Amino acid sequence: MDHLLVLLLLSSGLQAEGKHNSTESVRLVGGDSRCAGSLELKHQGDWKQVSDTHWNLKKAAVACKELDCGSAVSVGWREESSDRSVWKIKYDCVQSGSALRECARSDSSSTIVNLNCSESVRLVNGTSLCSGRLEVKTNQSPQRWSSVCEADFDQQDAEVVCRELGCGAPSVLQGVHYGEVEVPMWTKELQCGGHESALLDCRSSGSDINVTCSPGKVVGLTCSEPVRLVGGDSRCAGIVELKHLDWRPVINYDITPETAAATCKELDCGSAVSVDGKEESSYRDMWRVSSDCVQSGTVLRDCVTPWHFHIALNLTCSDLFQPNISVSSSMDGDSEAQQQRFQVFRGSTFNISCSIQPQYPGGSFQLTFTSSNSAHNYTQPAVNHSAHFLFPAAEPVHHGKYSCVYHVSVLSHNFSSESHLLSLAVSDLLLPPNISLDGDSEAQQQGFRVFRGSTFNISCFIQPQYPGGSFQLTFTSSNSAHNYTMPAVNHSAHFLFPAAEPAHQGIYSCVYHVSVLSHNFSSESHLLSLTIIGEECDRRLS
């Protein structure tokens, strides 16, 4: 069904994000567009082709960015009839942030790099080339990158974007915060049917209107990684195949335990059990995985290079389901099982639950916790395929990332499977109230002076968070203490003193009390110091 898709043209700051001063020294030639073809680099005054048989999508993404194209979609290489002068790129140099031309060295080779970047769509700031905030480059002049408003983007649009980027089907579609303040942006309306091969193939209204992306969110998208196991006894065993334009086996070469584990994790198949090779009848086109790339935390698809080989990777995973992690607190109830961020209030009781679909009896759950300066592990046996970790009072030390790891022994083999990460923030329930003094007074560096016999008023107020509540004005002096209480009206209370006397001299503070979901909370203001001085004599002396 057709619908409207609204592209939000961002400010000049975002426009500059896609532009680099090295664009004039990099180009793709011989392709169907300026974002496809053989990679050429101008260095030391010479244009030469780039040669490397180990380029993968992660490396290609650097070139696509310099070209102000979108995401890297495919990378390959071709053999020329003879050697020629080429540029080789030192990738460690590129990873440090240097431009391609600053990382080039002259060499001789017959192997030439071919790249294909998307022209008008990219996902930025994600964990892979198939995840991140969606940006689209418009056809109008000047061209600039834009974000897409969450309210006008649905599953059909996501399928078009994932298809255009060469990724798998959409797996997560959610809004990401563009900023706390809504930003007015120019928009272009596109009418998409969901079957298009590229987002800009959608029909356009051709008109611009000035709107704000409410409620201040733009589209964040995660496409699935196209990896599968085929020919085995279960969905978690067989030949590893990866789709990078087309489905091909992964070769059994330089496969580290980290690579095997990463593959099982991407397939939601627990941990790796065995790795071996299956010989084909002849050499064929396959994918070679760069283990160094995988070890850096990059997904499998971004780390493969085309290769001609005859032994495919045969992998068996434990076939454990991925456990779920959820959190509930005495203030907020249960979170959703797949929620990745959660907030609890300081002092409240919270519970983190680990659970897994029934596969094997027994086992245990390990709750892992990491923060900026510490790490902890808590272990409980699995009871009815779940475990619950109770924290009686939330404190700032509980702020960090949590995950559930399920451990089980099956036929004398130990297996484990880890949940997604859950980020927990601990915050104060109440903002501190403010205290102020008005009337016939004079401000000093350390407090206020009020003239004896004058009327003065101490006001307590707090930013609106919860209805009702009360304010307690506390007073302490060298020889006495008093409390005065008033209900909060319009989030404030005013304590009137008709005539200032020496007995009023001392320290005051406002304490706000409120009940939320049958729990009592309070928050105190800063201290206010009050001095009483003589009406006439001290006024002249001052």
Side-chain angles (χ1 to χ4, degrees):
M1 180 175 65
D2 287 357
H3 60 282
L4 295 182
L5 174 66
V6 180
L7 302 183
L8 306 180
L9 304 185
L10 301 186
S11 62
S12 58
L14 182 57
Q15 181 179 359
E17 181 181 331
K19 294 189 175 181
H20 306 269
N21 54 18
S22 58
T23 301
E24 296 179 355
S25 63
V26 181
R27 67 188 181 191
L28 295 173
V29 299
D32 296 331
S33 71
R34 60 172 296 273
C35 292
S38 299
L39 180 61
E40 293 189 355
L41 180 67
K42 186 178 183 181
H43 182 50
Q44 299 174 347
D46 292 333
W47 281 102
K48 297 181 185 178
Q49 294 172 315
V50 174
S51 173
D52 197 333
T53 58
H54 292 83
W55 270 56
N56 51 43
L57 287 179
K58 188 176 181 180
K59 296 179 181 179
V62 178
C64 293
K65 186 175 182 180
E66 286 201 21
L67 288 161
D68 195 25
C69 296
S71 299
V73 176
S74 66
V75 59
W77 45 270
R78 72 173 193 276
E79 286 287 344
E80 298 287 358
S81 57
S82 60
D83 286 353
R84 62 197 58 203
S85 180
V86 296
W87 295 119
K88 288 285 185 75
I89 305 297
K90 295 175 286 185
Y91 189 62
D92 289 344
C93 170
V94 174
Q95 283 295 87
S96 68
S98 301
L100 286 175
R101 69 174 185 274
E102 297 170 357
C103 302
R105 62 178 177 86
S106 184
D107 204 338
S108 178
S109 177
S110 61
T111 305
I112 307 302
V113 172
N114 282 329
L115 296 185
N116 181 21
C117 313
S118 61
E119 292 184 65
S120 56
V121 175
R122 67 185 182 188
L123 297 173
V124 299
N125 299 332
T127 57
S128 73
L129 295 176
C130 290
S131 68
R133 186 181 74 242
L134 175 61
E135 291 184 355
V136 179
K137 182 189 282 188
T138 61
N139 286 324
Q140 65 186 28
S141 182
Q143 289 188 327
R144 51 183 182 175
W145 290 97
S146 64
S147 282
V148 179
C149 186
E150 177 193 17
D152 298 286
F153 194 85
D154 63 13
Q155 186 73 12
Q156 289 179 327
D157 303 317
E159 290 173 0
V160 174
V161 172
C162 292
R163 186 183 306 123
E164 184 173 356
L165 295 178
C167 303
S171 58
V172 178
L173 172 59
Q174 62 185 12
V176 293
H177 286 282
Y178 173 69
E180 294 182 0
V181 180
E182 294 180 0
V183 181
M185 301 172 185
W186 287 97
T187 66
K188 175 77 69 176
E189 293 183 357
L190 297 178
Q191 300 173 356
C192 298
H195 57 276
E196 295 84 358
S197 59
L199 199 59
L200 291 190
D201 288 344
C202 301
R203 290 174 293 159
S204 173
S205 64
S207 60
D208 290 336
I209 55 175
N210 193 13
V211 301
T212 300
C213 183
S214 178
K217 288 186 177 182
V218 293
V219 169
L221 177 62
T222 298
C223 310
S224 61
E225 301 296 335
V227 182
R228 67 187 183 189
L229 296 174
V230 298
D233 296 331
S234 72
R235 69 175 191 90
C236 291
I239 301 298
V240 180
E241 289 191 347
L242 188 141
K243 186 178 182 182
H244 181 175
L245 293 184
D246 57 354
W247 288 100
R248 299 183 193 174
V250 172
I251 71 171
N252 183 33
Y253 179 80
D254 193 28
I255 298 298
T256 64
E258 291 81 5
T259 301
T263 305
C264 293
K265 185 175 181 180
E266 283 190 28
L267 291 163
D268 190 16
C269 284
S271 53
V273 176
S274 65
V275 176
D276 57 21
K278 182 178 180 180
E279 188 167 358
E280 303 273 345
S281 58
S282 61
Y283 279 74
R284 56 177 293 195
D285 290 332
M286 297 184 179
W287 300 117
R288 177 179 175 179
V289 177
S290 169
S291 295
D292 290 342
C293 175
V294 174
Q295 289 175 15
S296 70
T298 306
V299 298
L300 209 64
R301 173 182 176 271
D302 295 353
C303 297
V304 297
T305 301
W307 213 258
H308 207 62
F309 206 59
H310 67 293
I311 302 178
L313 172 62
N314 190 43
L315 177 64
T316 300
C317 306
S318 64
D319 198 14
L320 280 182
F321 291 128
Q322 184 181 33
N324 295 312
I325 184 170
S326 63
V327 60
S328 61
S329 80
S330 58
M331 293 297 301
D332 296 286
D334 293 334
S335 74
E336 294 183 5
Q338 297 302 319
Q339 185 173 328
Q340 296 185 22
R341 294 176 297 275
F342 197 79
Q343 176 177 275
V344 296
F345 293 113
R346 185 172 184 170
S348 65
T349 299
F350 70 97
N351 184 78
I352 296 180
S353 298
C354 303
S355 61
I356 194 168
Q357 295 184 45
Q359 283 182 287
Y360 305 102
S364 64
F365 284 100
Q366 180 183 28
L367 180 66
T368 67
F369 164 75
T370 56
S371 67
S372 58
N373 54 13
S374 66
H376 300 285
N377 292 313
Y378 313 90
T379 301
Q380 287 193 32
V383 178
N384 294 326
H385 309 288
S386 63
H388 307 280
F389 299 85
L390 178 67
F391 297 82
E395 296 295 339
V397 294
H398 296 132
H399 185 103
K401 295 184 181 298
Y402 294 80
S403 71
C404 293
V405 182
Y406 177 65
H407 300 275
V408 67
S409 178
V410 181
L411 299 176
S412 300
H413 290 275
N414 295 320
F415 302 109
S416 62
S417 179
E418 186 173 8
S419 72
H420 64 77
L421 290 176
L422 183 144
S423 296
L424 185 73
V426 179
S427 61
D428 291 323
L429 175 71
L430 293 179
L431 297 171
N434 296 306
I435 185 171
S436 67
L437 174 71
D438 55 61
D440 192 4
S441 64
E442 293 181 355
Q444 291 181 311
Q445 184 176 4
Q446 300 299 325
F448 286 87
R449 298 190 304 175
V450 173
F451 297 108
R452 184 173 182 173
S454 65
T455 299
F456 69 96
N457 184 78
I458 295 180
S459 297
C460 303
F461 57 96
I462 193 168
Q463 293 187 39
Q465 287 182 284
Y466 306 99
S470 63
F471 285 100
Q472 180 183 29
L473 181 66
T474 67
F475 165 74
T476 57
S477 67
S478 58
N479 55 12
S480 66
H482 299 284
N483 292 315
Y484 312 90
T485 302
M486 291 181 65
V489 178
N490 293 328
H491 309 288
S492 63
H494 307 279
F495 298 85
L496 178 65
F497 296 82
E501 297 295 338
H504 295 135
Q505 181 168 297
I507 304 296
Y508 293 81
S509 72
C510 292
V511 181
Y512 177 65
H513 300 275
V514 68
S515 178
V516 180
L517 297 176
S518 301
H519 291 267
N520 296 319
F521 297 94
S522 61
S523 179
E524 187 173 9
S525 71
H526 64 79
L527 298 177
L528 183 148
S529 176
L530 184 65
T531 303
I532 308 300
I533 59 176
E535 181 177 5
E536 294 296 335
C537 181
D538 286 342
R539 186 191 293 268
R540 289 195 300 270
L541 291 175
S542 64

